[in-house]
Amino acid sequence: MAQQVKGEFEVKRTPEGGCDLGDGAVAGHFRFDKRFHGALDATAVVHMLAVGTEVEGSAAYVAVERIAGSLDGRVGAFLTQHTGTLDRGAPTLAVTVVPDSGSGELKGLSGRMTIDIADGKHFYSFDYELTQPE
């Protein structure tokens, strides 16, 4: 049965060296350190690659995140994959749990997270399921 948790998180961004994509093209590389509050009580490390285009408002990013802590009282860690696109100012974002990445009491975790930013604060909504791994 699907569950949903919501809360707030803080994030600190640290620029890393750019990533050479060939022919002089470079993707920005950033590390984010997060602290989740609420039913997801955890810390996370994210590594993101981001690119822009010559068209204002068009860009994309991909990222991998490791979240470790507790989810509704269950202790463990899991990975998420981020895919974000800005299409002439119209954003889309998918944050998905990497299959079979849950450890500890979070084995069998699957789900999707949404992220909202309002008044400079970051909020998450996490729809998840926990099933027994095979």
Side-chain angles (χ1 to χ4, degrees):
M1 179 177 197
Q3 304 286 323
Q4 184 180 77
V5 295
K6 294 182 177 191
E8 191 173 340
F9 68 94
E10 290 97 37
V11 61
K12 176 186 169 195
R13 184 179 89 160
T14 305
E16 300 281 327
C19 182
D20 181 2
L21 298 176
D23 296 328
V26 177
H29 178 196
F30 302 91
R31 174 187 169 136
F32 294 85
D33 291 277
K34 294 181 180 179
R35 178 68 175 96
F36 290 91
H37 302 283
L40 177 59
D41 184 15
T43 58
V45 173
V46 182
H47 279 274
M48 173 174 71
L49 295 177
V51 295
T53 71
E54 294 179 8
V55 176
E56 186 174 334
S58 291
Y61 89 88
V62 294
V64 174
E65 174 176 25
R66 181 176 184 271
I67 300 173
S70 67
L71 173 60
D72 277 336
R74 295 176 186 90
V75 177
F78 60 97
L79 300 170
T80 64
Q81 172 186 326
H82 298 226
T83 304
T85 303
L86 190 59
D87 184 352
R88 297 181 182 231
T92 59
L93 175 62
V95 180
T96 307
V97 173
V98 174
D100 299 314
S101 66
S103 67
E105 296 175 312
L106 298 179
K107 283 186 180 176
L109 180 70
S110 62
R112 294 186 176 274
M113 184 180 290
T114 59
I115 296 171
D116 292 303
I117 303 171
D119 298 324
K121 294 184 179 185
H122 292 76
F123 300 92
Y124 69 88
S125 180
F126 186 31
D127 295 303
Y128 75 92
E129 289 188 51
L130 265 173
T131 57
Q132 292 291 1
E134 296 180 14

